[in-house]
Amino acid sequence: YSIQQTLTNLVYDFRKRLIMQVDPVCGMMVDPKAAAGQSEYKGQTYYFCSLGCKKAFDQEPEKYLGKEHEPNH
């Protein structure tokens, strides 16, 4: 790799991390543009990797908020 290519890759990775959101149910990183679903709760938008995660969140949002975990999918 050249220095320019390395820097380009680092900038791309940084921008991607700024865009990605954490699915509050499973902990996966989700691109909001490609999310399987989204929900509004207390004025905040949450994004989901699957409709199953969205459904679980919609039924019990407080169960998943503030939860620290490793991705499990």
Side-chain angles (χ1 to χ4, degrees):
Y1 283 102
S2 69
I3 292 175
Q4 183 176 2
Q5 189 173 10
T6 300
L7 288 174
T8 299
N9 290 345
L10 287 172
V11 169
Y12 173 79
D13 186 56
F14 180 72
R15 290 179 70 199
K16 186 176 177 182
R17 289 175 187 262
L18 287 176
I19 294 168
M20 301 293 275
Q21 300 290 314
V22 177
D23 180 321
V25 175
C26 69
M28 284 186 65
M29 297 300 289
V30 178
D31 179 345
K33 292 180 183 178
Q38 70 181 55
S39 294
E40 298 286 329
Y41 184 70
K42 292 188 176 181
Q44 185 163 343
T45 303
Y46 297 93
Y47 298 92
F48 304 94
C49 70
S50 69
L51 293 178
C53 283
K54 180 186 179 342
K55 183 178 178 182
F57 180 85
D58 289 344
Q59 290 175 347
E60 297 181 273
E62 291 295 329
K63 177 179 177 180
Y64 300 103
L65 297 179
K67 182 177 168 183
E68 295 290 330
H69 50 64
E70 292 294 318
N72 62 12
H73 289 291

